[in-house]
């Protein structure tokens, strides 16, 4: 089955700096890679996703890159703000399949 | 549209008991998936229901079961509870058509504590 590894487990950055979270996956058949943000005590919410037919996708301060050959993908947050503080989860799966395989999460703290 | 609703929000049970959790998907969504979230383990897939049928299953023991009703509401049951079952149980809904733009929407979860 699919195995997703996520690093680092914790990350602290100064406000305004960039944050990068990296994930690797094992199943070459995976073609859908979403990222979820979970604030303390709240539900995970999809913030961005990428499919294997593209290498990069941006949405304002958030970008995700995918290297299908190396089986890794990354989340980049620029100009971080205190409200970016949360746990971020990467996941891998197949388009339309609801059995996503999640990484173990990265706790991001943005220091004002 | 109302979001995914899970009840109850918190549950405390003792070992050996059984528990039933409920999930109401977003109106019009026909797929409901269940995930277990524990500290350090991330989210682990339990099963998915679509049109009252289990469409996919994760690697959990048979003590974990579920069902879906004709109105797409889903329930998850855990029998003979163990201490290790303490976790946040999340359900997620999606339209279920398995199209390329289908996304999962999560509920707030049920926090289960087994004593």
């Amino acid at each position: 089955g699919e195995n997703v590894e996520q690093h680092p487990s914790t990350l602290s950055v100064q406000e305004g700096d960039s944050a990068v979270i990296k994930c690797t996956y094992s199943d070459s058949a995976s073609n859908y890679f979403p990222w979820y943000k979970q604030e303390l005590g709240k539900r995970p919410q999809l913030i961005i996703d990428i499919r294997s037919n593209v290498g990069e996708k941006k949405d304002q301060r958030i970008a995700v890159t995918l290297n299908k050959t190396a089986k890794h993908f990354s989340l980049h947050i620029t100009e971080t703000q205190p409200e970016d503080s949360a746990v971020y989860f990467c996941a891998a799966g197949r388009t339309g399949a609801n059995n996503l395989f999640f990484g173990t999460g990265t706790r991001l703290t943005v220091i004002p | 549209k109302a979001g995914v609703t899970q009840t109850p929000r918190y549950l405390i049970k003792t070992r050996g008991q059984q528990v039933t959790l409920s999930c109401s998907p977003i109106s019009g969504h026909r797929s409901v998936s269940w995930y277990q979230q524990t500290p350090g383990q991330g989210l682990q897939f339990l099963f998915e229901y679509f049109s009252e049928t289990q469409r996919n299953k994760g690697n959990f023991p048979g003590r974990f079961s579920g069902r879906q009703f004709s109105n797409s509401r889903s329930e998850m049951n855990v029998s003979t509870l163990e201490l290790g079952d303490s976790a946040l149980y999340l359900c997620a809904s999606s339209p279920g058509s398995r199209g390329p733009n289908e996304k999962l929407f999560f509920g707030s979860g049920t926090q289960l504590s087994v004593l």
Side-chain angles (χ1 to χ4, degrees):
Chain A
E2 176 65 274
N3 181 47
V4 177
E5 294 190 356
Q6 182 173 348
H7 300 280
S9 56
T10 60
L11 178 60
S12 292
V13 299
Q14 292 288 333
E15 183 177 357
D17 286 351
S18 295
V20 180
I21 302 170
K22 299 183 178 182
C23 290
T24 61
Y25 63 99
S26 61
D27 187 356
S28 56
S30 290
N31 58 4
Y32 175 58
F33 307 93
W35 287 85
Y36 285 83
K37 174 184 180 182
Q38 187 176 31
E39 297 177 40
L40 190 63
K42 297 195 175 180
R43 69 190 73 192
Q45 291 197 303
L46 179 71
I47 55 171
I48 194 167
D49 58 12
I50 190 168
R51 302 182 190 278
S52 59
N53 57 341
V54 297
E56 184 176 4
K57 183 176 179 180
K58 286 184 181 180
D59 183 3
Q60 299 183 350
R61 298 185 295 108
I62 294 173
V64 57
T65 59
L66 170 65
N67 183 327
K68 219 169 168 330
T69 303
K71 295 196 187 73
H72 66 70
F73 55 114
S74 301
L75 178 71
H76 305 252
I77 306 174
T78 58
E79 300 171 22
T80 54
Q81 301 168 2
E83 51 265 38
D84 294 330
S85 295
V87 178
Y88 291 81
F89 292 95
C90 63
R94 302 183 189 184
T95 302
N98 292 342
N99 56 325
L100 292 174
F101 295 86
F102 282 82
T104 50
T106 296
R107 181 173 299 279
L108 173 65
T109 302
V110 180
I111 304 165
Chain B
K1 274 187 181 179
V4 179
T5 304
Q6 290 188 247
T7 57
R9 187 70 179 91
Y10 300 96
L11 264 178
I12 299 175
K13 293 286 186 179
T14 55
R15 278 182 300 173
Q17 287 187 310
Q18 74 165 21
V19 66
T20 299
L21 314 181
S22 179
C23 174
S24 293
I26 291 172
S27 177
H29 285 192
R30 297 167 62 194
S31 168
V32 174
S33 303
W34 289 88
Y35 287 82
Q36 181 194 67
Q37 184 176 16
T38 53
Q41 291 293 317
L43 286 78
Q44 294 183 289
F45 174 76
L46 282 150
F47 30 65
E48 180 212 1
Y49 285 86
F50 176 78
S51 291
E52 301 178 64
T53 301
Q54 189 180 85
R55 189 160 69 172
N56 226 323
K57 189 178 187 304
N59 296 323
F60 278 79
R63 299 185 298 107
F64 293 81
S65 63
R67 59 178 176 168
Q68 186 179 35
F69 302 94
S70 59
N71 62 357
S72 294
R73 189 177 71 86
S74 177
E75 287 182 346
M76 189 189 93
N77 185 274
V78 187
S79 62
T80 320
L81 283 166
E82 301 177 0
L83 295 178
D85 296 334
S86 294
L88 179 67
Y89 290 88
L90 293 161
C91 82
S93 79
S94 67
S97 62
R98 290 190 156 176
N101 295 318
E102 189 143 319
K103 298 175 169 57
L104 292 183
F105 295 85
F106 282 91
S108 296
T110 293
Q111 183 69 52
L112 172 64
S113 298
V114 182
L115 307 178

